[in-house]
């Protein structure tokens, strides 16, 4: 397993719940954006960003495990939300799944996702 480093960046304000830079060597793992679909393809938590975030992070965890990694290997998360106001709920769930150093992150408010029931989508990149 790779050893990740979280160097501090001189001249850049500290990240609030994320790292500006994460480095490591090893195999690159890309996880497609996950939405709040259960194993049967039904949406979980329609209208509830916290419930959707819980399902999304559970899906990400399963995808990472399939690649032989955990959230400890994640170097970058990209959040796509239909309302930026959902981020506090998403971060609360994220902090349970990723209690240690936070990966580099980008959050983008989008006009819509592939389904009107989808409130958020999260993709991940990891290094093994």
């Amino acid at each position: 397993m790779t050893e990740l480093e979280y160097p501090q960046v001189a001249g850049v304000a500290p990240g609030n719940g994320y790292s500006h830079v994460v480095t490591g060597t090893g195999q690159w793992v890309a996880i497609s954006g996950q939405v709040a679909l259960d194993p049967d393809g039904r949406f979980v938590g329609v209208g509830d960003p916290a419930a959707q975030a819980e399902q999304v992070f559970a899906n990400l965890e399963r995808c990472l495990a399939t690649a032989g990694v955990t959230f400890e290997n994640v170097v970058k998360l990209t959040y796509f939300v239909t309302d930026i106001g959902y981020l506090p709920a998403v971060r609360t769930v994220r902090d349970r799944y990723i209690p240690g150093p936070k990966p580099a992150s980008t959050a983008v408010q989008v006009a819509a996702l592939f389904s009107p029931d989808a409130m958020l989508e999260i993709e991940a990149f990891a290094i093994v």
Side-chain angles (χ1 to χ4, degrees), residues 26-100:
Q27 180 181 344
W28 183 254
V29 177
I31 306 297
S32 290
Q34 296 296 304
V35 295
L37 292 174
D38 69 12
D40 295 320
R42 292 183 300 252
F43 270 97
V44 172
V46 174
D48 182 346
Q52 287 209 1
E54 185 65 44
Q55 183 66 46
V56 168
F57 275 94
N59 290 349
L60 287 168
E61 186 172 56
R62 290 180 188 102
C63 291
L64 291 165
T66 297
V69 299
T70 70
F71 279 108
E72 290 181 357
N73 302 99
V74 172
V75 297
K76 176 75 163 69
L77 292 172
T78 305
Y79 304 88
F80 302 95
V81 294
T82 56
D83 184 332
I84 207 75
Y86 301 155
L87 285 180
V90 172
R91 288 181 182 134
T92 296
V93 175
R94 178 212 53 199
D95 289 350
R96 284 199 330 274
Y97 281 86
I98 309 173

